[in-house]
Amino acid sequence: MYSGCMSTPERLIEATRELLWERGYVGTSPKAILQRSGAGQGSMYHHFTGKSDLALAAIGRTAEEMRATAEGVLGGPGSPYQRIEAYLRRERDVLRGCPVGRLTMDPEVIESDELRAPVDETLDWLRERLAGIVEEGQERGEFAPSLDGEEIAAVIVSTVQGGYVLARASGSAAAFDTGVRGLLSLLSRAR
């Protein structure tokens, strides 16, 4: 499944990332990790202190990837509104859900300060980044000065995460798209 030039620790991290997204922490057994990664028996404990340590590396990698993807759009060309719109409309595997958002519903992750930290930090970063773009739009006269950047950022993140939930529940990406269109309609009226 993985490239022959990928190191064993990398294969273990990638397998764990996929399994966490698919099954959650409890459903991600060491046996499943080893099978998915193609790593030998004992490899996990040779490179990591245990499942939690490996999960932390995987969650950290997923969080970094999410931030990089978001920044690629949010830091791109266009006005603040256009960048927010590009973020909301960017291609996603909506029915699969968000790999970071999914972790917020995993009791084992949420109960662990260590495992929860990269999830919380990533969502905080996203809200702060979006709030800064809203404030930039206000400075340029693109958004009404009465808007609260932090509140709008929270609504944007909530729309995306809630859109995933609605899409998965209905089995259709249409629910996600409807939420995005609704939010963009509200934002365009706040211009």
Side-chain angles (χ1 to χ4, degrees), residues 31-95:
K31 181 179 179 180
I33 294 168
L34 291 174
Q35 286 176 338
R36 176 79 56 102
S37 68
Q41 190 81 12
S43 294
M44 186 171 108
Y45 298 100
H46 176 74
H47 296 287
F48 300 93
T49 60
K51 176 182 167 181
S52 179
D53 185 38
L54 177 53
L56 182 60
I59 292 168
R61 176 83 51 83
T62 298
E64 288 170 16
E65 186 177 282
M66 181 180 164
R67 285 191 299 268
T69 300
E71 183 57 37
V73 176
L74 296 172
S79 71
Y81 177 87
Q82 289 169 331
R83 288 182 283 150
I84 290 170
E85 179 180 29
Y87 170 74
L88 288 168
R89 293 188 187 270
R90 79 169 178 78
E91 190 172 326
R92 295 174 163 88
D93 188 354
V94 175
L95 294 178

Side-chain angles (χ1 to χ4, degrees), residues 20-31:
L20 286 170
W21 195 357
E22 294 167 14
R23 304 178 182 182
Y25 185 82
V26 171
T28 300
S29 68
K31 181 179 179 180

Side-chain angles (χ1 to χ4, degrees), residues 95-150:
L95 294 178
R96 193 163 182 216
C98 175
V100 172
R102 185 195 188 312
L103 294 168
T104 66
M105 295 179 274
D106 192 315
E108 300 292 326
V109 172
I110 295 306
E111 289 173 11
S112 166
D113 291 340
E114 187 176 39
L115 294 176
R116 186 182 65 247
V119 173
D120 187 35
E121 290 164 7
T122 298
L123 294 173
D124 279 350
W125 172 86
L126 183 57
R127 285 191 307 271
E128 288 172 16
R129 184 69 174 99
L130 288 163
I133 292 171
V134 171
E135 291 161 7
E136 178 187 338
Q138 289 172 310
E139 291 168 9
R140 293 180 173 191
E142 188 175 0
F143 292 125
S146 60
L147 292 180
D148 182 300
E150 290 179 16

